[in-house]
Each structure stands twice: as C-alpha cells, then as structure tokens.
Amino acid sequence: MGRVGGGPWWLFDFDSFRELLETLLRNKTRSLLTGFGVFWGVFMLVALIGGGDGLKEMLNNNFEGFATNSAIIWDQPTTKPFHGFRKGRYWDLTTGDVARLRAQVPQLDVVTPVISKWGVQVVNGDHKYNANVKGQLPEYAKVEAPKMYYGRFINEMDIAQQRKVCVLGKRVYKSLFPGSGDPCGQLIRLDSAYYSVIGVNYAGGNMSINGSADEAVIIPISLMQRAFNMGENIEMIAITARRGTAISDITPRIREVVARAHDIDPTDEKAVMVFNTEVLFGLMDNLFSGVDLLIWLVGIGTLLAGAIGVSNIMMVTVKERTTEIGIRRAIGATPRMILSQIISESVLLTSVAGMSGILFAVLILQMMEMGFTEDGIVQSHFQVGFWTAIGAAALLAALGVLAGLAPAARAMSIKPVDAMREE
C-alpha cells in the first residue's frame, strides 16, 4: 500500500515515485488512453507553432529583400480625355519623370528607373541561356536588396563610365557556369557584345520588378539605354518613402507630378499606375496574425481537452481507491499527503505524455525542415524556439496540477469510517 509519511512532497523520493508508477501501471490501458489525450494535445500545439513559423518564413522568403515602404509606377493608356486629347492615348515614362519626382515629392527617399529586355541570349562558351536583361542604378538595391553570392552589385563608377559589366542571377549563373566557382572577371556575351561578370545575385525572393532576379542579368542602365537604343524612355519607376511617410498618403501627389508632365488627367488612376506594396505587406501581416490566433486556439483547445480527460480519469481512480485512501487516513496520513499523492500522479501522467508529444513534434518538424533545403541551405525552419518549448513544459506542469485538483479534493473528503463502511 506504500508509505504514509515522509519528507516534503516536492522533494524527490524514490519510494514515492515507485508507488506512483505502480498506481498508474495498475490499469495500463486506461493510463495509456488518458496520456494519449495529453500527448496529442501537446503534439498539435507544438507542431502547429513550428509549422506556422515555417509557413510564415516560406511566405516571407517570397518577399525577401523587398522594401516594405515601396511602390512601382508604370504607364498605361489613358482612360480619361484631357487638354484636348482623347482617352486611350499611349504615352511613355521618361528619365525626366525620375528627376521631377525627386524634386517635387520630398517625402520620397529612393526614386530609381527600371528598364528591361526579355529573351536576350546570354552565352558563355558552349553554354547558353535566354535571360531577362535589366538596366538599373546602384540605388535600386534599396528597393530590392541583392544577395551577393560572388562579387558585388553595380556602383556609381559603372554608371558614370558606362562600363560593360553585369551581375548574373542564380539560374543564369548555374546555366552558364555549371562547374560552379567564382565567375567574376570572366566575359560573357549578350547578343553581340561582351560583358565582364562582376557578381552573382542569389536573392531568393519571388517578388521582383519586371521578372524574377533568378533569370536576370543586370547591367548599368546608362549602358543598356545606349546598347539597345532605348533612348530616354523607361518602363517603370521604383520608389520608397522616407521613414514615417506612408506611400498611400503621397500617391495622389506622385500621380499628379507624372500626369501633368504628360498632359494626363491627374485623377486618371489607370493611366498612371501606382502599385503600393504597403498594401500587400499589410495583408500578409494580417494573414500571419490570423494564422497565429488559429494555431493557439486549436492547440490550446486540444491540450485542455486532454487535461480534462486526465482529471476525469483521476476522479475514477480516486473512487476505485476509496478504501485505500480511507485506510491511509485511519493510520495517520494527513490531507496534505493525500493531496500530494493524487496531484503527483496527475503531474507525472501529464508530464510524461506531454514531453513525449513535444519530442514527437520536434522529430516531425525536423523531417519537414530537411525537405526544404536548397544547395545544402535550409530555406524554411520548421522548429519551435527554446523558450517556446520551455513555455510548453511549464504549461504542462500547470495543467497537471489543475487536472489533479478536483480528484485530490474528492480524495481529501473521504472519511475513514465511510471508507470502511464501503468496504
């Protein structure tokens, strides 16, 4: 029947621990099914937290390096008549619009033009690739940050001297240089002209202006305008706002500056398109908040259901052990001893099942993480943080105590005389 007395209940006692195990193993099936409820609840909570973090990282990787306070401007046919011009008129952005925005909209931090040419054949020896050639300024890196694997990005000297240099995207680099290695300093051919490779951009984001960075070859914009006879026309203007300024607040002013220079109605939103990325990033933040809320609701709800199951089973156990508890009380066991016995059984069952759930969840998350690797680099981390695991363990201990309170109170209310009479 085990010992009655002993030291403080919070100190480890081997005899007490053995007695707890014997009690729980007396009905293995019931203990196993009860523990499984806690196991599943903890597994769901930890797996959902780790999986949710991995999902958020995957989504964030799609926007990696892209400025959150940015916008993209491009031209489309007019939809309103203005100054004698009919609607449906075609027009083009020019480098003059870049200067106007810089001068007339002081809230802007970066204003940089973008031009591109699709389907340009890039050749290195026997290796070829049809790439998207982009003409950019060095400050474009503040809008879409490059991730340089080799070399550097274009700089001001490249622009001023119209150097024949280029930066390769990851897919272009792997196609032209299948043997890997640093390609900087080597010459490649774009159409009929040769360019020196100065860097390799491994930016992995899927959000790009005028095509993916993976498939792009970046050259100085001044050189591209001359090499491809593009004149002063540009395709897009990328902008970022200064700290504390929302793009949406200055969008009407941006549209007005560009529209009036081309005799376009300043209210013609479809003619002067301004795509505000702040809206997109705001939607992503709301999505992440919703995912976090759903994860915690489902996880904690499942965990509470398991704890309630533990409490119910402990109540049944106490009822079955009425005589045993009554005899303990008759030979001198204090209510505190009975309380510690029942709560210890609840905490032990909850802890063992819960820690097993944590370990199993971590194993599953690790297997998921191994499936999201590229070039030996983990792309998304499906794991929980150290403090999250500690918090889960603390939550388990608290639930174990709570689950044992009602059964313990029932056990403490048992009187020796009633127990003997039931026997």
Side-chain angles (χ1 to χ4, degrees):
M1 185 162 50
R3 69 187 185 90
V4 174
W9 67 272
W10 60 84
L11 295 179
F12 181 80
D13 187 295
F14 182 77
D15 291 335
S16 298
F17 182 73
R18 184 176 60 183
E19 183 179 355
L20 292 177
L21 286 179
E22 290 175 354
T23 303
L24 293 175
L25 294 177
R26 192 175 302 163
N27 194 324
K28 297 183 179 65
T29 303
R30 185 167 61 194
S31 297
L32 181 63
L33 293 176
T34 305
F36 182 77
V38 177
F39 167 87
W40 186 251
V42 174
F43 168 76
M44 287 290 292
L45 177 60
V46 175
L48 285 173
I49 292 174
D53 289 344
L55 175 62
K56 287 188 287 185
E57 188 173 353
M58 286 177 62
L59 293 175
N60 281 328
N61 287 342
N62 291 327
F63 306 101
E64 182 184 10
F66 207 92
T68 57
N69 62 333
S70 61
I72 306 165
I73 308 168
W74 71 91
D75 55 79
Q76 290 199 134
T78 60
T79 59
K80 296 180 180 180
F82 191 71
H83 281 182
F85 292 102
R86 295 182 178 180
K87 66 178 183 179
R89 176 168 58 95
Y90 288 86
W91 64 285
D92 295 298
L93 286 169
T94 66
T95 52
D97 294 315
V98 176
R100 293 185 193 96
L101 288 172
R102 287 173 177 169
Q104 300 181 37
V105 188
Q107 297 90 340
L108 294 178
D109 183 29
V110 174
V111 183
T112 180
V114 179
I115 57 177
S116 63
K117 186 174 179 61
W118 297 81
V120 178
Q121 190 175 73
V122 188
V123 181
N124 175 40
D126 296 330
H127 305 288
K128 301 178 181 179
Y129 192 88
N130 287 328
N132 174 24
V133 178
K134 295 183 178 183
Q136 297 177 356
L137 291 173
E139 60 184 350
Y140 181 79
K142 297 179 181 179
V143 179
E144 185 182 351
K147 188 177 181 180
M148 304 308 298
Y149 193 75
Y150 291 113
R152 62 173 177 84
F153 197 63
I154 56 176
N155 59 29
E156 294 293 345
M157 292 299 293
D158 297 328
I159 300 295
Q161 300 179 12
Q162 296 187 2
R163 294 173 177 171
K164 287 190 173 182
V165 294
C166 64
V167 176
L168 306 180
K170 180 169 64 174
R171 193 171 299 177
V172 180
Y173 160 68
K174 289 186 175 182
S175 298
L176 297 184
F177 300 91
S180 300
D182 189 351
C184 294
Q186 299 191 44
L187 296 177
I188 63 171
R189 180 165 58 86
L190 298 178
D191 280 347
S192 58
Y194 285 87
Y195 294 76
S196 175
V197 178
I198 60 171
V200 176
N201 180 15
Y202 257 44
N206 291 328
M207 185 172 178
S208 301
I209 297 178
N210 254 13
S212 171
D214 282 352
E215 302 178 340
V217 176
I218 300 172
I219 64 176
I221 190 170
S222 56
L223 175 63
M224 185 168 179
Q225 288 175 318
R226 186 188 66 178
F228 292 93
N229 195 26
M230 304 183 77
E232 294 298 310
N233 291 342
I234 57 178
E235 292 177 310
M236 294 181 176
I237 300 176
I239 60 175
T240 64
R242 297 186 185 278
R243 185 181 297 274
T245 301
I247 290 288
S248 55
D249 294 339
I250 58 175
T251 295
R253 177 57 180 164
I254 292 170
R255 184 174 285 113
E256 179 184 6
V257 170
V258 175
R260 292 197 179 280
H262 296 273
D263 283 322
I264 298 172
D265 190 332
T267 63
D268 193 347
E269 297 183 1
K270 293 184 178 179
V272 184
M273 290 293 298
V274 181
F275 177 72
N276 185 358
T277 61
E278 281 183 343
V279 176
L280 179 61
F281 285 106
L283 290 174
M284 294 302 301
D285 289 339
N286 292 335
L287 174 63
F288 292 157
S289 299
V291 169
D292 286 338
L293 179 61
L294 179 63
I295 286 172
W296 283 101
L297 285 177
V298 173
I300 293 180
T302 309
L303 194 57
L304 287 175
I308 292 172
V310 172
S311 182
N312 290 336
I313 292 299
M314 293 302 299
M315 288 288 285
V316 174
T317 303
V318 167
K319 187 173 183 180
E320 291 178 350
R321 297 167 60 192
T322 299
T323 302
E324 174 192 338
I325 294 173
I327 294 173
R328 285 172 177 261
R329 294 290 305 275
I331 62 177
T334 64
R336 182 178 180 182
M337 292 177 183
I338 301 299
L339 177 67
S340 66
Q341 174 74 15
I342 301 302
I343 290 182
S344 297
E345 292 176 12
S346 176
V347 170
L348 178 62
L349 181 59
T350 306
S351 299
V352 171
M355 295 306 294
S356 300
I358 292 176
L359 292 175
F360 186 63
V362 169
L363 177 62
I364 296 298
L365 291 172
Q366 183 63 35
M367 293 173 63
M368 291 179 61
E369 188 173 293
M370 291 171 61
F372 289 89
T373 58
E374 185 176 350
D375 295 331
I377 301 173
V378 176
Q379 300 298 309
S380 297
H381 296 82
F382 290 85
Q383 279 298 353
V384 293
F386 174 77
W387 290 110
T388 302
I390 293 297
L395 181 60
L396 279 175
L399 287 176
V401 173
L402 292 175
L405 285 178
R410 166 118 168 77
M412 290 172 60
S413 66
I414 296 175
K415 297 180 180 179
V417 175
D418 295 335
M420 296 302 181
R421 186 177 299 136
E422 184 170 323
E423 178 66 18

